[in-house]
Amino acid sequence: MTTQLTDICIIGAGSGGLSLAAGASQMGASVTLIERGKMGGDCLNYGCVPSKALLAAGKVAHTFRHSQKFGITPQEPNIDFKAVHNHVHDVMAQIEPNDSQSRFEKLGVHVIRKEASFVDKHTIQAGDTLIKARHIVIATGSSAFVPPLKGLENTPYLTNETIFDLTECPKHLLIIGGGPIGIEMAQAHRRLGAEVTVITSHGILPKDDPELIEVVKKHLLQEGVKILEDARVEKVAKTTNGVSVITNNATLKGSHLLVATGRQANLESLNLKAAEIAHTPRGISVNPRLQTSQKNIYAMGDCTGGYQFTHVASYHAGIIIRNILFKLPAKIHTSAIPWVTYCDPELAHVGLSNKQALESFPDARTLRWPFAENDRALAERASDGLIKISTKKNGEVLGASIVGKNAGDLLLPWVLAVKEKKKIADIATLIAPYPTFSEVSKRVAGSFFTPKLFSPKTNKIVRFLMKWFS
């Protein structure tokens, strides 16, 4: 057993751990990074990157089928699913060097590819190495939550960690779960030739605005995705040709089963008890500075049980750097955390939902602007969309929800507006380039002032000024 001393020991080489390791090392701290699995974590290997690459392939196939609206003869695409698989893994391979062990070792990070376990609040064991650290950061992420469904232990099933290894398109993909992962995979595989059925105990995408969800749902149904809502799974089973799922109101048969029922924090092998770190089944308990019950030990990203997004883990890295390296009492703020579901059309949100805004501020205003009033959306035949903004009576922006093409890219100014408590006039007075989708933000912001600008009172003032000050 060898012993190593370090300033910061990071457990987990996902997006958060890598961001922290790179920043801390380049700023002068000695850093040890421990990873038991693949460098890059869930995002690179099983999540953000492969899912978006698969969605991109599905979008191309969809364009082949629906090119008539541009005056181009549509045709059914010839899809080579093995080549699609290779495309997905090629994208991963292009990004992998940024997250690789060799790159981080060149940055001065000591990388250990073993499972980590606490010995005490200052010591980690990884293989035959003991790491004694001034500060320890737990960044172990999360993995697919597999519920204890009857029959599942004897039924072959996929999760987001295995579905991207398929080299043949499923004939009929059954998906348990109507959250972002389930919906993205449903649309991607339907467009690539699979029959798809989504089984959800509630509605789809339950954290988003109901009005905007309906736009997404309409597109999924039009494309042939079957959605079984309010369905409670009672049993699953292996069949001669695939799998079956029995719910409270239907029996479904398919070739493949994807379980997309949420995420769970990766804590099982850490031996948190040895360091007396408080935690629950949901994740590690942290204060606003991301400190655990042991002040020298921090936790970040999915393993804290909060927002489970790559960009949140990266945000946490910045908070921890300020706390550990610069001794600043930096705290997390969750009021302006955005999220996007990358279906087509995309669905994006930041801040308070419309319902939350009205509950907190009874005189809150709701602003809407349809993509059908945007010239660029019309030119690209992508006019089925809506931007919806909630403000206080005085115009302070409380939240934004967008459904439509490029919704995720359109969200950023609203993230800034919510974070900085900007007034709606700050968006309304911007000069938006024409013709762009970004004009929907300017137009919806301008609609805040429409009732007052075109009121009888304003009309009267203008007539008076025209008459006496010409």
Side-chain angles (χ1 to χ4, degrees):
M1 190 76 70
T2 59
T3 301
Q4 179 187 122
L5 302 179
T6 189
D7 292 327
I8 306 173
C9 178
I10 304 167
I11 308 172
S15 57
L18 293 178
S19 297
L20 176 60
S25 179
Q26 292 178 93
M27 290 178 187
S30 59
V31 179
T32 297
L33 177 64
I34 306 173
E35 173 54 58
R36 68 180 181 181
K38 295 181 178 181
M39 297 288 288
D42 192 82
C43 181
L44 171 62
N45 299 290
Y46 315 116
C48 315
V49 173
S51 64
K52 303 314 164 275
L54 191 72
L55 283 164
K59 193 169 187 177
V60 172
H62 184 72
T63 301
F64 267 75
R65 298 186 184 100
H66 298 276
S67 58
Q68 72 276 7
K69 56 191 175 184
F70 298 103
I72 300 169
T73 302
Q75 64 181 45
E76 184 62 29
N78 181 19
I79 298 170
D80 181 345
F81 202 84
K82 178 62 161 57
V84 172
H85 165 276
N86 294 342
H87 148 70
V88 170
H89 286 264
D90 178 62
V91 172
M92 293 162 60
Q94 290 184 57
I95 297 172
E96 187 275 332
N98 295 326
D99 296 349
S100 66
Q101 180 173 340
S102 60
R103 174 175 179 253
F104 278 80
E105 288 176 337
K106 288 176 183 176
L107 292 175
V109 178
H110 182 68
V111 181
I112 300 176
R113 305 294 292 277
K114 297 289 183 180
E115 188 166 81
S117 177
F118 277 92
V119 176
D120 57 48
K121 67 178 183 178
H122 286 289
T123 311
I124 299 291
Q125 181 175 347
D128 58 1
T129 303
L130 289 177
I131 301 98
K132 291 188 173 293
R134 291 183 177 183
H135 302 280
I136 297 170
V137 181
I138 305 169
T140 50
S142 65
S143 54
F145 170 70
V146 180
L149 299 174
K150 185 178 180 180
L152 191 61
E153 69 277 6
N154 299 315
T155 305
Y157 66 91
L158 301 161
T159 68
N160 70 296
E161 295 179 9
T162 55
I163 194 166
F164 302 110
D165 292 330
L166 294 179
T167 55
E168 293 185 3
C169 184
K171 184 176 181 182
H172 185 179
L173 179 62
L174 303 179
I175 301 176
I176 300 177
I181 294 173
I183 293 304
E184 288 182 3
M185 290 301 93
Q187 189 173 48
H189 283 85
R190 177 61 188 148
R191 288 178 166 189
L192 291 169
E195 185 178 351
V196 177
T197 301
V198 176
I199 306 156
T200 175
S201 57
H202 301 289
I204 65 170
L205 305 172
K207 293 184 179 180
D208 285 285
D209 185 292
E211 183 180 8
L212 276 58
I213 292 169
E214 285 302 311
V215 178
V216 173
K217 184 178 177 181
K218 178 183 72 174
H219 280 260
L220 293 172
L221 293 174
Q222 287 176 344
E223 292 179 26
V225 175
K226 298 181 179 67
I227 302 174
L228 188 62
E229 297 180 312
D230 301 317
R232 185 179 67 256
V233 177
E234 297 179 345
K235 183 181 178 181
V236 299
K238 181 180 179 179
T239 65
T240 303
N241 298 317
V243 295
S244 68
V245 175
I246 300 172
T247 74
N248 56 309
N249 51 24
T251 297
L252 305 162
K253 295 185 182 295
S255 60
H256 294 72
L257 174 64
L258 170 63
V259 178
T261 50
R263 312 282 297 168
Q264 62 182 358
N266 294 327
L267 307 177
E268 70 285 349
S269 63
L270 290 174
N271 192 21
L272 297 174
K273 185 178 180 181
E276 299 181 359
I277 297 171
H279 63 284
T280 68
R282 183 177 178 181
I284 296 172
S285 304
V286 294
N287 65 18
R289 295 175 64 179
L290 297 173
Q291 292 171 308
T292 68
S293 51
Q294 301 292 349
K295 300 307 179 187
N296 69 303
I297 302 175
Y298 293 75
M300 65 189 299
D302 288 11
C303 71
T304 64
Y307 290 100
Q308 296 183 329
F309 305 118
T310 295
H311 47 278
V312 171
S314 298
Y315 167 60
H316 284 180
I319 297 294
I320 293 176
I321 282 176
R322 278 177 273 172
N323 273 278
I324 294 179
L325 271 61
F326 299 104
K327 312 305 178 186
L328 298 172
K331 297 179 180 180
I332 58 170
H333 298 280
T334 59
S335 61
I337 291 179
W339 67 75
V340 184
T341 301
Y342 295 92
C343 47
D344 180 14
E346 291 181 358
L347 183 56
H349 175 78
V350 67
L352 298 183
S353 68
N354 184 241
K355 180 181 178 181
Q356 290 169 333
L358 292 170
E359 288 173 348
S360 300
F361 304 94
D363 58 354
R365 289 186 56 182
T366 301
L367 310 174
R368 293 177 175 83
W369 197 266
F371 277 41
E373 295 291 330
N374 178 266
D375 293 357
R376 181 63 177 272
L378 292 169
E380 297 199 13
R381 301 294 187 184
S383 59
D384 195 8
L386 175 69
I387 183 169
K388 191 171 179 180
I389 308 298
S390 297
T391 74
K392 290 183 180 178
K393 185 179 179 180
N394 68 357
E396 181 184 322
V397 178
L398 297 171
S401 296
I402 311 173
V403 64
K405 185 173 182 179
N406 302 333
D409 295 306
L410 292 172
L411 192 65
L412 188 58
W414 298 106
V415 177
L416 178 64
V418 172
K419 176 179 179 292
E420 299 296 332
K421 300 184 185 301
K422 295 287 187 181
K423 296 289 184 67
I424 197 75
D426 293 320
I427 302 293
T429 54
L430 291 174
I431 301 174
Y434 175 87
T436 61
F437 283 91
S438 63
E439 286 182 287
V440 298
S441 292
K442 180 177 174 64
R443 296 294 293 274
V444 74
S447 71
F448 179 88
F449 303 99
T450 298
K452 185 175 291 187
L453 284 174
F454 299 118
S455 68
K457 182 178 178 181
T458 302
N459 190 275
K460 195 173 187 179
I461 292 171
V462 170
R463 288 204 311 270
F464 174 80
L465 292 172
M466 291 297 98
K467 180 176 180 179
W468 297 105
F469 296 95
S470 297

